[in-house]
Amino acid sequence: MSFQNPHAFMSPDFIIRAAALPWELKGVQELRRQVFVEEQKIFDLHDRDAIDDIAMPLAAISTFASEADAIVGTVRIHQEHPRIWRGSRLAVSHTHRRMGRLGAELIRLAVCTAHGRDCDRFLAQVQMQNVPLFKRLHWASLREIEVHGVPHMEMEADLMWYPAISDPFAGWKTLSPKRKRTL
């Protein structure tokens, strides 16, 4: 296959899984820097905090010729208290937001992973523009708050919609909206 402009090609296949390899972890940090420092200007140099020391980073990975290529989405999860988990730092690359499903797939992996670790409540502080997405994914609004000077909604996932998974590193492949997801 020949491309006139190889930079215009966007694979419809993505891998959704816990990030573990060094290039994946570096890609997660770089994407968060791009979104939260450069684009949204919420932080000055980086968005790392103490939660990163205990959190599990999850990733949406683009593919090229069916091989993992680049980190294009991320979220982190951690156990805040026994049986209470929290997700944070959901980010999707501006080049991949039009895919329309990467954020939802990352949210699904986050909640299903925590549910597989005896989670009774899964919470997140969601930027206001993302509240409709979370509501479509069976989350309830709890209260409006401000985080780092940005309006957010504290939200809680309805765990009945998120089956427990035991191995987030296995993950799954998700396809463009015209193709079906495979496990």
Side-chain angles (χ1 to χ4, degrees), residues 2 9 34 39-41 50 55 61 68 77 82 84 118 140 157 159 161 164:
S2 173
F9 174 75
Q34 288 172 3
E39 183 182 327
Q40 296 183 2
K41 302 194 183 321
I61 305 167
I77 62 171
I84 299 174
D118 296 322
L159 295 178
W161 291 93

Side-chain angles (χ1 to χ4, degrees), residues 72-98:
V72 295
T74 188
V75 68
R76 67 181 182 180
I77 62 171
H78 74 283
Q79 185 172 330
E80 187 173 58
H81 300 289
R83 305 184 73 84
I84 299 174
W85 283 70
R86 187 170 286 279
S88 57
R89 300 296 204 267
L90 176 65
V92 175
S93 171
H94 73 281
T95 59
H96 286 74
R97 289 182 195 145
R98 67 182 173 90

